Amino acid sequence: MRGAMRVRSFDYMRIFACILVVLVHVSAQGISASAVDGSVFAFCQCCNTLAFSGVSIFVMMSGALALRPGKEISVRNIVVKRFLFFMGLYFLWKGIYLFFDLLRAGQGISGGAVKQLVLDLIGGRGFYHLWYLPMIAFLSLLVPLIHDGVQKKEVCLLYLVPFIMLALLFPTMFYFEFPFKYLLMDFLGQFETEYFLGYLGYFILGHVLFQWREQWTKEKKILLSAAGVAALVFGCVFGVLRSRADGIFFNGFSSPLSFTNLLTSSAIYILFLQGKTKAPEEEKGAAGTLAALTLGIYLLHPMVIEILKDAGLFLLGDAAFLTIPLYVVMVTVVSALIVFFGRKLLSLLKK
């Protein structure tokens, strides 16, 4: 009898999305350190625009796995295994990064420093990438409420249509000038839809695209791929031009909550769902082994970037088209090695 099944395509997708997340923060270094009207800035902004698709893809994969048909839903699994796990990780790594900043500042472990660390642990926002953990934790609490309902495509569309229109399309349109723009903004502003719409949209979208993937014909996939590429090119070109016009980085397309990101991340997601989708759980393979490291890489890679910067080893120079990919590989590999050997050490200590 065959055991549990794993979604093999998600292993490859998780690795690719993880690389994109590393690219977000590597390219951000170039954006902050280069002139807004230079080629380095433009290249880094384009990389940043693409890279934010990785965040959307991670949320989509989480939704596909959490909302899949036949998945056993229990309060214990949701609260203990998902919510408390991610919230525990959030506060643990928030504390680790606060302590890391304390050491980088050369401060001793004094009573005042410890008190400030505790206060920041409770009330501070934490290092810039950790926001994802509480977001996915609270999305997990919605799974028992929506799981049965989203098994019907029409129910999913009840949420996805306003999500795409009100949280992505219209906000993206408002970056441009057009007749009656401000009247439309005032009209939509009455309803405060931000309290209803958000990353839950990508959570449900990932489920829909995975659950009904057979309905994507070759022609539809080609059309979506073309739309994803066109959206990425448009976001890059307009973003760079807007940054130069404003004299400051324009981050409107460097966000999952933009219509361009929706098209690009959906195209990548569908692309990775080609071929053999499922395999026995025991057939983990190299991709499964690497995919298992991605959470650790996500948690650790900003620290690796900061250490490289402090050591004077993070130098992008004028050839960003070469150094950005190089640093993405370097940061990803170093983080992966630390996570891999750290897990090995922990398994040895448990014996």
Side-chain angles (χ1 to χ4, degrees):
M1 183 177 178
R2 302 182 72 179
M5 302 295 287
R6 66 184 297 107
V7 183
R8 176 176 288 177
S9 54
F10 279 179
D11 289 338
Y12 299 104
M13 202 186 306
R14 191 173 287 114
I15 295 167
F16 183 73
C18 181
I19 293 172
L20 288 180
V21 170
V22 175
L23 178 59
V24 169
H25 302 123
V26 170
S27 60
Q29 309 305 315
I31 290 172
S32 61
S34 54
V36 72
D37 59 347
S39 59
V40 171
F41 185 98
F43 179 77
C44 290
Q45 180 164 358
C46 291
C47 289
N48 204 254
T49 301
L50 165 64
F52 266 93
S53 298
V55 179
S56 311
I57 292 168
F58 268 122
V59 181
M60 291 162 75
M61 283 190 289
S62 296
L65 293 172
L67 300 174
R68 66 188 185 273
K71 180 178 173 61
E72 181 182 351
I73 305 297
S74 70
V75 172
R76 181 181 181 277
N77 285 339
I78 294 298
V79 174
V80 177
K81 292 186 177 180
R82 300 287 295 177
F83 180 78
L84 292 182
F85 171 74
F86 284 115
M87 291 303 293
L89 273 184
Y90 171 68
F91 283 106
L92 171 64
W93 280 89
K94 189 177 178 181
I96 289 173
Y97 274 98
L98 286 171
F99 185 70
F100 172 67
D101 283 342
L102 196 68
L103 294 179
R104 291 176 67 207
Q107 299 182 26
I109 311 300
S110 63
V114 172
K115 179 181 177 181
Q116 187 60 48
L117 190 150
V118 172
L119 291 174
D120 288 340
L121 183 63
I122 298 172
R125 293 184 61 85
F127 221 67
Y128 52 77
H129 69 308
L130 294 177
W131 66 271
Y132 182 88
L133 294 172
M135 181 273 290
I136 206 70
F138 280 98
L139 279 184
S140 298
L141 293 182
L142 296 176
V143 171
L145 293 173
I146 66 175
H147 180 271
D148 291 346
V150 298
Q151 303 314 315
K152 296 181 179 180
K153 194 173 183 179
E154 59 270 23
V155 173
C156 298
L157 293 177
L158 283 175
Y159 185 88
L160 289 178
V161 170
F163 163 69
I164 293 172
M165 297 293 293
L166 300 177
L168 304 180
L169 180 59
F170 282 123
T172 301
M173 289 172 56
F174 292 150
Y175 296 139
F176 307 90
E177 294 298 326
F178 56 87
F180 307 110
K181 166 186 170 179
Y182 297 101
L183 180 62
L184 180 58
M185 289 176 67
D186 291 340
F187 174 73
L188 295 177
Q190 300 177 65
F191 308 116
E192 299 184 346
T193 53
E194 64 270 17
Y195 295 109
F196 170 68
L197 305 171
Y199 284 98
L200 178 61
Y202 279 111
F203 201 71
I204 295 175
L205 179 63
H207 162 71
V208 170
L209 293 180
F210 179 71
Q211 185 61 29
W212 289 280
R213 59 192 180 278
E214 294 84 2
Q215 297 179 7
W216 281 83
T217 63
K218 183 178 179 180
E219 291 74 19
K220 289 181 179 178
K221 293 172 185 175
I222 292 174
L223 184 61
L224 178 60
S225 298
V229 172
L232 175 61
V233 172
F234 176 83
C236 290
V237 172
F238 179 82
V240 169
L241 293 177
R242 178 70 177 266
S243 293
R244 291 181 176 180
D246 295 345
I248 191 173
F249 172 51
F250 172 74
N251 63 359
F253 296 129
S254 291
S255 167
L257 297 178
S258 68
F259 190 69
T260 53
N261 184 282
L262 168 75
L263 294 176
T264 303
S265 57
S266 297
I268 295 171
Y269 187 85
I270 288 293
L271 179 65
F272 272 95
L273 291 180
Q274 308 306 304
K276 187 178 180 181
T277 303
K278 295 185 179 180
E281 183 64 39
E282 59 270 16
E283 293 183 12
K284 196 172 185 179
T289 301
L290 292 174
L293 303 176
T294 55
L295 176 59
I297 295 171
Y298 149 75
L299 292 168
L300 194 62
H301 78 272
M303 187 179 295
V304 174
I305 292 175
E306 296 302 320
I307 291 173
L308 289 174
K309 287 169 58 180
D310 292 346
L313 299 176
F314 201 100
L315 304 171
L316 295 178
D318 295 328
F321 66 95
L322 292 175
T323 54
I324 290 290
L326 175 64
Y327 279 116
V328 169
V329 172
M330 182 187 302
V331 171
T332 303
V333 170
V334 170
S335 302
L337 289 174
I338 294 173
V339 174
F340 178 79
F341 287 110
R343 292 176 65 174
K344 289 290 185 183
L345 179 61
L346 287 175
S347 62
L348 289 175
L349 293 175
K350 289 180 180 179
K351 292 182 179 179

